Amino acid sequence: MDLTDTVAVVTGASSGIGEATAKALAREGCSVVLVARREDRLERIADEIESDRTLVIPTDVTDEDEVTAMVEETREVFGCLDILVNNAGVLRVDPVAEADMADFREQVEVNLLGAMNTTHAALPVMLESEHADIVTVSSVNARHPAKEGSAYTATKYGVNGFCRSLRKEMADEQVRVTIVMPGPVDSEMRDWENWEGRALEPTDVAESIAFAVSRPEHVEIPEITVSTTDKLR
């Protein structure tokens, strides 16, 4: 499917998978809205994309008012919203007994509630499009829990459940719902001490996202697992 003239919002776009995804979608012809808290990083990435069809909107996905304003600004500037990539996330690795509950809370608010906030705000606008995609970046930890990553793993189980239920709600609508579950990625979030193999590059995951949203309208890819040839330990 030709993505020219479509509009994509990418959260967590200031680095890693989000940055790579924004660039990949821009190459496919999308107008791209870069969303994250670090405005300076977003501006740099927008400059690197070298397109007048990028929009930087600094947003904290845990703040419902900011998310609503971001969606409204996207609609005002571009007139629609066709692709939402929920990618914002944080990772804190600690044994449960030693963990700071503030770290647990932050992961739930960003990883899970952040995806819920953006989806809730964007969906009414996306339902006005002839065709739309919601892609949420989860993790292989939702299938293979990692040691000392209990809160992060819990949020990814939650993300998967939210998306699977949403997909059923969208069964009679023109909105496809895709979960992308990468293994460890060489990015700011890579912090698994027990991972000894080669990590994915952010572009590996971004290309999978671009592939999913560019399928013909009658094709939906519910879930994608992306891993290197080094097996999970």
Side-chain angles (χ1 to χ4, degrees), residues 36-214:
R37 290 176 291 186
R38 296 179 291 184
E39 184 173 6
D40 58 333
R41 297 287 292 272
L42 296 179
E43 294 287 359
R44 174 185 61 77
I45 293 163
D47 289 342
E48 291 175 358
I49 290 174
E50 296 182 341
S51 170
D52 58 2
R53 297 173 61 198
T54 59
L55 178 64
V56 168
I57 308 181
T59 306
D60 182 347
V61 297
T62 69
D63 187 312
E64 292 180 47
D65 291 336
E66 288 191 21
V67 170
T68 299
M70 177 272 292
V71 171
E72 290 176 351
E73 184 174 352
T74 298
R75 188 178 191 179
E76 288 173 5
V77 173
F78 291 120
C80 61
L81 201 175
D82 307 295
I83 299 169
L84 171 64
V85 180
N86 288 313
N87 169 70
V90 294
L91 168 63
R92 305 285 182 259
V93 179
D94 282 303
V96 172
E98 301 172 13
D100 187 329
M101 284 304 299
D103 289 342
F104 277 12
R105 190 172 296 107
E106 179 188 25
Q107 290 174 93
V108 172
E109 290 177 351
V110 176
N111 301 354
L112 179 55
L113 291 178
M116 290 179 170
N117 286 339
T118 52
T119 302
H120 177 263
L123 193 54
V125 180
M126 300 183 78
L127 286 168
E128 297 174 0
S129 297
E130 293 183 3
H131 176 78
D133 283 275
I134 296 174
V135 180
T136 303
V137 178
S138 180
S139 170
V140 293
N141 292 101
R143 289 182 173 171
H144 306 282
K147 180 181 178 181
E148 300 182 357
S150 56
Y152 179 81
T153 297
T155 64
K156 296 307 183 179
Y157 270 89
V159 161
N160 285 11
F162 174 71
C163 292
R164 288 166 182 162
S165 180
L166 177 63
R167 186 180 303 115
K168 291 186 176 183
E169 288 186 30
M170 295 296 104
D172 297 322
E173 303 291 348
Q174 72 280 13
V175 179
R176 302 185 296 198
V177 180
T178 298
I179 302 168
V180 176
M181 292 176 283
V185 178
D186 189 6
S187 70
E188 293 177 348
M189 286 182 60
R190 189 185 184 195
D191 195 23
W192 299 114
E193 293 183 359
N194 61 334
W195 176 257
E196 299 173 356
R198 177 180 178 180
L200 294 163
E201 296 298 327
T203 52
D204 297 328
V205 185
E207 288 166 3
S208 298
I209 293 170
F211 176 82
V213 301
S214 61

